Amino acid sequence: MEVRVHRLVCLTGFMGAGKSTAAQLLARQVGWPHVDLDKRIVDATGLEIPEIFAQKGEPEFRRIEHEQLARVVGEAAELQQSRILSLGGGTTVQPQNLALLRQHRATLVWLECPVEVLLPRCAQITNRPLFRDEASFRRLYEQRLPFYQASDYRVDSNTEPLRVVEQILALGIFPKVTA
Ligand code: S3P
């Protein structure tokens, strides 16, 4: 009997860590579909992330985020298909999301990057509602570190996206391709 095993490899980390870019490149390399959770939220609501925060507030954003995450992992399980999933910076901080990912045996890879590097990256990009000022950014970073540290693996994302992908591939979490 053929046993089919589907896997979810999720990239987590703070805003600006390069989760979406690395996930896209990684998916191309391993030949798995890539799902970006923020993009799923935008597609499902027809609203940009800052619009959701402004019009509905953060609790409603978190509700939608959980709903979409549940859909993504549910689809992967139903189709028995593996996925590379780029999460939002706050996704694994929400206990219900972490529980869902653990229940589906997702592998969590933390893209670690110093706050000094993330600050200028995020200051230039205007679509991040949780980037208010430097002090609150640093506070949020500190608050979230323990959640990211609870990931299964850590890679250094203070480097080029291709180097990030190389580190993830070197973790040995992907099945070996045999000729
Ligand atoms: C958030 C990060 C954002 C997005 C939303 C909330 C967070 O994603 O999900 O603005 O709580 O840190 P990125 O990490 O991709 O910026």
Side-chain angles (χ1 to χ4, degrees):
M1 191 183 74
E2 188 197 5
V3 180
R4 298 213 301 177
V5 179
H6 80 284
R7 301 269 311 278
L8 289 169
V9 173
C10 303
L11 304 195
T12 184
F14 207 64
M15 291 172 251
K19 302 178 289 290
S20 306
T21 308
Q24 214 170 342
L25 291 170
L26 179 64
R28 216 175 290 157
Q29 293 243 9
V30 297
W32 292 5
H34 165 223
V35 178
D36 183 78
L37 186 58
D38 276 351
K39 190 168 180 307
R40 285 289 290 245
I41 294 168
V42 170
D43 292 345
T45 58
L47 294 170
E48 295 299 324
I49 304 288
E51 291 175 328
I52 304 174
F53 272 75
Q55 293 175 21
K56 300 169 186 281
E58 183 170 351
E60 178 60 6
F61 171 81
R62 297 298 171 198
R63 193 197 62 74
I64 301 168
E65 182 182 47
H66 180 67
E67 186 177 86
Q68 290 305 316
L69 182 66
R71 288 211 178 158
V72 173
V73 297
E75 279 164 18
E78 200 176 311
L79 299 170
Q80 288 286 297
Q81 278 181 359
S82 296
R83 299 267 189 278
I84 304 290
L85 180 53
S86 37
L87 302 172
T91 310
T92 57
V93 178
Q94 310 297 317
Q96 70 276 24
N97 294 337
L98 193 58
L100 182 71
L101 291 170
R102 290 300 181 206
Q103 187 189 325
H104 285 261
R105 297 171 193 273
T107 302
L108 288 174
V109 181
W110 171 30
L111 271 57
E112 187 186 16
C113 195
V115 71
E116 277 70 24
V117 175
L118 297 172
L119 255 166
R121 282 191 195 169
C122 291
Q124 287 166 6
I125 305 165
T126 52
N127 70 345
R128 290 201 164 90
L130 291 181
F131 183 85
R132 296 191 188 99
D133 54 67
E134 181 174 336
S136 65
F137 190 84
R138 284 179 182 276
R139 263 199 313 275
L140 193 60
Y141 180 88
E142 288 301 320
Q143 280 169 13
R144 287 185 171 174
L145 272 180
F147 296 92
Y148 300 142
Q149 281 162 347
S151 301
D152 302 299
Y153 299 95
R154 183 202 70 87
V155 295
D156 174 17
S157 75
N158 183 16
T159 181
E160 294 300 311
L162 276 173
R163 302 283 91 79
V164 175
V165 170
E166 275 173 14
Q167 293 174 70
I168 300 173
L169 289 171
L171 296 173
I173 56 181
F174 292 98
K176 298 260 180 303
V177 181
T178 44

